[in-house]
Amino acid sequence: MRMISRKNTDRLIAWLSLAITIIAIIPLLWIIGCVFANGASAINLEFLTDTPAPYGESGGGVANAILGTLVINTMASLFGIPIGVLTGMYLSEYASSGKFSSVIRASVESFSGVPSIIFGIFAFTLIVTTVQHYTALAASFALGLMMVPIVAKATEESMRVVSDDMREAAIALGIPKWARTVKIVLGVARGGVITGSLLAFARISGETAPLLFTSLFSFYWPTGIDQPMATLQVLIYNFALSGYPDRVLQAWGASLLLVILVVAINVVVKFATRPKYKEGV
Amino acid sequence: MKAKKSSAHYNRQDAIFKSILISASLLVVGLFVALFLMLISGSMPSILGNGFGFLTGTTWDPGKGIYGALPAILTTIATSLLAVALAIPIALGIAIFFTEYAPEKAKFSLTLFIDLLAAIPSVIFGIWGLWVIAPLIKTYVQQPIVASIGFIPIFGGPAYGISLSLASLILAMMVVPIIASLTIEIISRTPVSLKEGMISLGATKWETVKHVSLPFARLGILAAVMLGLGRALGETMAITMIIGNSYMWPFANPSIFAPATSITSKIASEFYEATSAIYVGSLIELSLILLVITLVTNALFRYVIKKTNRGARRQ
Amino acid sequence: MTNDSVKLDILKLDAWFGDKQALKGISLRIKPKTVTAVIGPSGCGKSTFIRCINRMHELTPGNKVAGTILLDGADIYNDMDSMDVRRKVGMVFQKPNPFPNMSIADNVVAGLKLIDAADKKELEEMAKENLKAVGLWKEVENDLKKSGASLSGGQQQRLCIARALAMRPEIILMDEPTSALDPASTAKIEELVKALKTETTVIIITHNVQQAARISDMTAFFYLGELIEYDETRSIFESPKSPLTERYITGRFG
């Protein structure tokens, strides 16, 4: 009797935990479904190649926002990835257990917990108030900063798991430490560094808060990286709240593009890092 | 063969390389310090102008020059705690299913789903919450509750859809994957020897989880909750789009269906239009308060996770 | 005191891991173009001994070395930079460790490429020459672009020997290079070691006394951090002076 009820409890928990898991996944499928259902009808050639129509007119597209997101992300990566990789290399290969490296480690970890909107405020006070106008550079600075801890952590962790055999082999050949670190250890760990950088790129591609008062928004093609610039993220925010059905539809269309970008990167990374697949040591 | 360069040459290269790495690392430290100092100096007009009343004031009226942050601070804390409270049972359920009951073949897709849920941009949660979930919640949840037990102040009407509780719900969906994936990692670290002891006594999987894995993982789960809380506190876009941005909650209207304003939604929706120095300063002081709260939460997270790791190593 | 018939002159070498002394007053002389086998039970200090010769022992914080090692009369601890020492004293490890991020050809010239930027053609020649020297050329000539990690264990070890040879070292240290390999691969490496001494000086650690007898000219027997006996291999095996040596080579402990 007792045994049966214990087994039933176990079976109940199994089904309950399965049900909870399904409930947690529903929002994901629902969001992706909604974004496809609503967004697909917004997408056409004009949507992908034109700038937004002025208020009151229909039609237009989000091409300038697509370009803006790519430009701002690229500039952010050019800033954030090198700093992240260099910091990660330092933490993995050079840092001792001393105070100095624990300060660096604490800063990197603290950065990863800072709310994204605060990076926006930081970039605003540091750059926008200095140059006296909104600029895409400030947005890239904020997003680049957000990439640093992600890339640094990925670099440090993937370099740490490189076997010491590799370091010893390099030392025994008389290879200088810098070349050993860059060409051998980083070389063996490059898969982890690349996936970390891709995930950081995906992460900032969806970030909106740091852009609100840095790159702002624009209805036109970008005129320069030191000017306000449209992005898909801010376009979604502005248009979704605008209340005009045309605009809301375009916000769904832009959401679809953003979701495809973010999901694609995550799926690629996920499959590339499947446990079965192991690169090197 | 070219002449071999002297070893002094390589020692110099090494020194240069090391100084580049140190400079990059110091830049990170410097930027973090700069961020803190910038927020403090940016807050000065508010700290001097509003004084301590900023933290206790309940009115925000830039026209009259009144800046009270208490409702925003309370809203941020309330939405985040509520979201985490909703997320914990879900995340635990996922973790238990994943570690104990899920077939090996399903695990890869399951982690993919969890990762994707964590990767969906917050602005997308916002547009979905605003245009899809808010109307449904308003009609099928809020209105029936208001109609039946609306006399209780915290369930009072009117039903707007966009509200404190909707923000918590969406936030919960956003932090579930964060808490779940760390909990899975922690529970998976339960030493097999401990579990085998229970299983050899004839315990079921659930009994093993209840008496071995969960007690073993409790500190780690606490860490996961702190991590999720930190994320919820700083979340901006989804909140701004669905919380209603009204200073009603909690003083004018204590209902969880009332629109409210969090620290982040206040900053996101007003920073651009803030003109006077004290207005901008007040918003920056809000962000400083948020930074302090999230840094403390994250420090707690790191403290607990360090303890967990040490405990695991001792096993 | 140096002369032409001494490649490596080791005088009163002591080494420590933290507080624990691993080598006690080791003195021995190694002639050029010979193979010296270092034997002894595990923990006797043989690995520490050869890691002192290319200055790798000192890399672990807390480790110390005292005494003198002269390479062609130059004190490797006082007169030479550690990087120069390692370029003159190559090393082959117990576990084959080719760089998995580099092709087979690049592995061979890894040391040259990362130290002296020679031109591409020169490097290709060097790769070919050294792969030939270890008898790997015919096996990999069409796969030069493949990863070094794609080879079998025995091939990987020969690749590692080629990588060390490419630096044109004065001495090659080998730390049980065949212990992870099958008998056929082991035989190839043993042949290779014997051939190497026409060009260079080899010091090889082995836990297999038969291997020491097969390939070496001189044998050093270590026990508990001390050099018990050092002599021509034939004398060591035919008439060991120390009873400890005799017990070890006849397999009665170790």
Side-chain angles (χ1 to χ4, degrees):
Chain A
M1 228 6 235
R2 234 185 101 76
M3 189 59 207
I4 291 170
S5 80
R6 283 176 51 211
K7 275 202 171 152
N8 282 342
T9 310
D10 192 51
R11 210 163 294 143
L12 179 74
I13 297 287
W15 285 106
L16 189 66
S17 64
L18 171 64
I20 288 175
T21 306
I22 292 170
I23 288 172
I25 290 171
I26 286 174
L28 173 70
L29 303 178
W30 196 350
I31 289 172
I32 292 180
C34 277
V35 166
F36 268 89
N38 294 318
S41 59
I43 292 182
N44 52 44
L45 192 64
E46 189 187 8
F47 183 81
L48 294 173
T49 54
D50 208 350
T51 55
Y55 273 105
E57 288 176 32
S58 59
V62 299
N64 58 334
I66 298 173
L67 180 66
T69 291
L70 292 178
V71 167
I72 287 175
N73 282 1
T74 306
M75 292 194 298
S77 304
L78 290 177
F79 164 65
I81 294 176
I83 304 270
V85 170
L86 291 172
T87 308
M89 275 201 277
Y90 179 78
L91 289 175
S92 165
E93 303 296 308
Y94 285 82
S96 53
S97 49
K99 266 221 173 86
F100 181 65
S101 39
S102 62
V103 167
I104 291 168
R105 195 163 271 131
S107 300
V108 172
E109 284 174 356
S110 300
F111 255 131
S112 66
V114 172
S116 63
I117 192 162
I118 288 180
F119 287 106
I121 302 249
F122 180 40
F124 175 87
T125 48
L126 193 69
I127 298 173
V128 175
T129 55
T130 309
V131 301
Q132 297 284 320
H133 60 85
Y134 293 97
T135 154
L137 282 171
S140 294
F141 173 71
L143 295 180
L145 270 185
M146 298 190 69
M147 297 179 86
V148 168
I150 307 175
V151 176
K153 202 171 169 216
T155 305
E156 183 189 1
E157 282 176 0
S158 48
M159 285 176 80
R160 277 198 173 200
V161 298
V162 172
S163 158
D164 273 342
D165 292 356
M166 294 301 120
R167 294 184 182 85
E168 293 218 318
I171 292 169
L173 285 170
I175 294 173
K177 186 165 182 181
W178 74 267
R180 184 211 320 162
T181 303
V182 177
K183 304 275 177 63
I184 309 288
V185 185
L186 186 66
V188 175
R190 68 189 185 285
V193 177
I194 291 168
T195 53
S197 303
L198 277 173
L199 288 177
F201 188 90
R203 165 81 195 278
I204 63 158
S205 299
E207 281 299 342
T208 313
L211 310 177
L212 291 176
F213 10 90
T214 48
S215 56
L216 216 67
F217 190 68
S218 156
F219 278 78
Y220 312 104
W221 287 104
T223 50
I225 53 171
D226 61 338
Q227 295 300 315
M229 201 180 275
T231 52
L232 284 173
Q233 300 98 299
V234 176
L235 181 138
I236 295 169
Y237 175 64
N238 286 350
F239 284 17
L241 291 173
S242 73
Y244 298 93
D246 272 14
R247 292 265 191 253
V248 176
L249 187 66
Q250 289 189 319
W252 281 112
S255 300
L256 178 55
L257 299 180
L258 206 54
V259 164
I260 289 173
L261 174 69
V262 170
V263 168
I265 294 177
N266 274 275
V267 169
V268 165
V269 165
K270 195 78 194 168
F271 276 91
T273 55
R274 274 188 100 140
K276 267 184 225 158
Y277 174 93
K278 260 193 191 145
E279 190 178 337
V281 179
Chain B
M1 203 70 201
K2 283 174 198 162
K4 283 189 179 178
K5 292 188 183 115
S6 77
S7 56
H9 174 78
Y10 299 110
N11 290 336
R12 199 161 55 243
Q13 280 184 348
D14 267 343
I16 293 170
F17 181 69
K18 189 175 177 185
S19 60
I20 292 172
L21 293 191
I22 290 180
S23 316
S25 307
L26 281 179
L27 181 65
V28 176
V29 179
L31 285 169
F32 187 70
V33 173
L35 178 127
F36 223 99
L37 294 179
M38 279 284 182
L39 291 194
I40 292 174
S41 77
S43 308
M44 282 329 274
S46 164
I47 293 171
L48 299 175
N50 297 322
F52 193 69
F54 184 73
L55 297 176
T56 54
T58 59
T59 309
W60 184 283
D61 190 343
K64 294 188 187 135
I66 305 172
Y67 301 94
L70 191 58
I73 298 170
L74 290 177
T75 300
T76 290
I77 294 170
T79 46
S80 304
L81 288 180
L82 201 55
V84 169
L86 284 171
I88 290 172
I90 304 280
L92 278 182
I94 297 175
I96 290 171
F97 177 71
F98 185 92
T99 52
E100 303 298 327
Y101 300 106
E104 281 304 315
K105 277 184 189 164
K107 287 190 172 179
F108 177 75
S109 342
L110 207 50
T111 54
L112 177 64
F113 282 136
I114 295 171
D115 288 356
L116 283 181
L117 192 56
I120 296 289
S122 130
V123 71
I124 308 271
F125 272 98
I127 187 174
W128 177 70
L130 177 65
W131 290 101
V132 180
I133 298 302
L136 289 176
I137 291 272
K138 181 182 167 186
T139 314
Y140 296 106
V141 180
Q142 294 182 350
Q143 283 171 351
I145 292 178
V146 169
S148 51
I149 54 169
F151 58 88
I152 304 171
I154 63 162
F155 297 116
Y160 293 94
I162 49 175
S163 59
L164 177 93
S165 52
L166 177 65
S168 298
L169 180 69
I170 302 283
L171 265 186
M173 296 174 189
M174 300 174 76
V175 299
V176 157
I178 296 168
I179 302 181
S181 53
L182 190 53
T183 304
I184 287 172
E185 202 190 311
I186 303 274
I187 291 187
S188 307
R189 283 195 217 154
T190 313
V192 180
S193 56
L194 287 184
K195 290 171 76 174
E196 279 173 346
M198 274 300 279
I199 293 164
S200 69
L201 292 173
T204 61
K205 281 182 172 173
W206 164 239
E207 285 160 346
T208 316
V209 173
K210 195 169 131 195
H211 297 295
V212 179
S213 303
L214 288 183
F216 174 83
R218 65 184 188 286
L219 261 185
I221 295 171
L222 178 66
V225 170
M226 300 308 280
L227 187 67
L229 185 63
R231 171 75 196 272
L233 288 164
E235 176 45 47
T236 305
M237 297 317 294
I239 298 281
T240 307
M241 293 168 83
I242 58 183
I243 203 167
N245 294 319
S246 150
Y247 239 37
M248 264 185 222
W249 196 87
F251 298 106
N253 180 352
S255 170
I256 58 168
F257 303 138
T261 297
S262 72
I263 294 178
T264 52
S265 74
K266 192 95 197 145
I267 301 168
S269 50
E270 293 183 22
F271 196 81
Y272 176 59
E273 60 200 35
T275 40
S276 69
I278 190 164
Y279 195 177
V280 174
S282 300
L283 291 169
I284 296 182
E285 191 178 350
L286 270 182
S287 70
L288 181 62
I289 293 168
L290 178 68
L291 180 64
V292 171
I293 298 174
T294 50
L295 284 183
V296 169
T297 313
N298 273 283
L300 281 175
F301 158 71
R302 283 205 304 279
Y303 175 74
V304 178
I305 201 88
K306 233 178 225 165
K307 260 181 111 170
T308 329
N309 289 341
R310 224 175 290 142
R313 228 170 291 136
R314 223 179 291 128
Q315 281 296 332
Chain C
M1 189 199 91
T2 59
N3 60 52
D4 289 347
S5 65
V6 180
K7 187 80 200 171
L8 198 63
D9 197 351
I10 296 160
L11 291 158
K12 292 187 178 155
L13 180 70
D14 294 318
W16 291 266
F17 289 103
D19 294 335
K20 190 178 165 283
Q21 189 161 8
L23 289 179
K24 296 165 191 165
I26 309 295
S27 296
L28 61 85
R29 280 183 184 157
I30 288 168
K31 287 187 192 148
K33 303 195 173 165
T34 56
V35 175
T36 303
V38 179
I39 58 172
S42 13
C44 67
K46 42 190 202 302
S47 272
T48 310
F49 172 66
I50 67 164
R51 289 170 71 93
C52 287
I53 300 172
N54 69 345
R55 295 191 56 177
M56 281 186 72
H57 178 70
E58 70 203 54
L59 290 172
T60 311
N63 285 4
K64 272 179 307 187
V65 181
T68 310
I69 299 179
L70 302 175
L71 173 62
D72 289 329
D75 184 331
I76 67 163
Y77 279 92
N78 292 317
D79 303 342
M80 289 171 76
D81 183 88
S82 62
M83 228 155 19
D84 292 334
V85 174
R86 292 177 199 135
R87 283 152 66 170
K88 289 191 170 166
V89 182
M91 186 160 186
V92 176
F93 296 81
Q94 189 168 356
K95 200 173 142 226
N97 53 5
F99 301 126
N101 58 322
M102 294 184 188
S103 71
I104 291 170
D106 282 346
N107 256 287
V108 178
V109 293
L112 299 170
K113 210 173 163 180
L114 297 181
I115 294 174
D116 305 288
D119 68 63
K120 214 176 151 213
K121 217 161 164 219
E122 212 171 4
L123 288 173
E124 272 169 25
E125 272 309 305
M126 291 295 288
K128 184 174 174 182
E129 181 188 316
N130 288 288
L131 283 169
K132 276 184 175 163
V134 297
L136 204 53
W137 176 251
K138 288 235 160 63
E139 294 162 52
V140 301
E141 129 181 70
N142 299 317
D143 299 325
L144 290 174
K145 294 268 182 280
K146 279 196 186 164
S147 162
S150 65
L151 298 172
S152 75
Q155 289 175 319
Q156 285 189 17
Q157 195 61 298
R158 279 185 284 153
L159 178 61
C160 292
I161 296 173
R163 182 175 68 185
L165 282 180
M167 303 298 291
R168 298 185 191 283
E170 308 274 331
I171 295 174
I172 288 193
L173 308 171
M174 296 185 166
D175 189 350
E176 302 193 16
T178 61
S179 66
L181 304 180
D182 60 273
S185 304
T186 299
K188 278 187 189 152
I189 302 247
E190 286 184 8
E191 284 312 306
L192 180 55
V193 170
K194 281 191 261 180
L196 282 179
K197 71 176 174 183
T198 57
E199 295 285 331
T200 180
T201 308
V202 181
I203 303 174
I204 179 168
I205 294 181
T206 173
H207 58 235
N208 177 341
V209 288
Q210 272 72 42
Q211 186 172 61
R214 282 195 297 269
I215 61 177
S216 68
D217 305 303
M218 302 290 287
T219 295
F221 172 62
F222 279 64
Y223 184 67
L224 296 178
E226 288 178 62
L227 177 60
I228 305 296
E229 196 165 345
Y230 173 56
D231 207 335
E232 284 185 16
T233 300
R234 194 189 303 164
S235 336
I236 290 261
F237 280 86
E238 285 172 4
S239 52
K241 291 188 188 70
S242 157
L244 268 175
T245 315
E246 189 184 356
R247 277 172 60 201
Y248 183 73
I249 58 174
T250 51
R252 271 177 281 166
F253 78 93

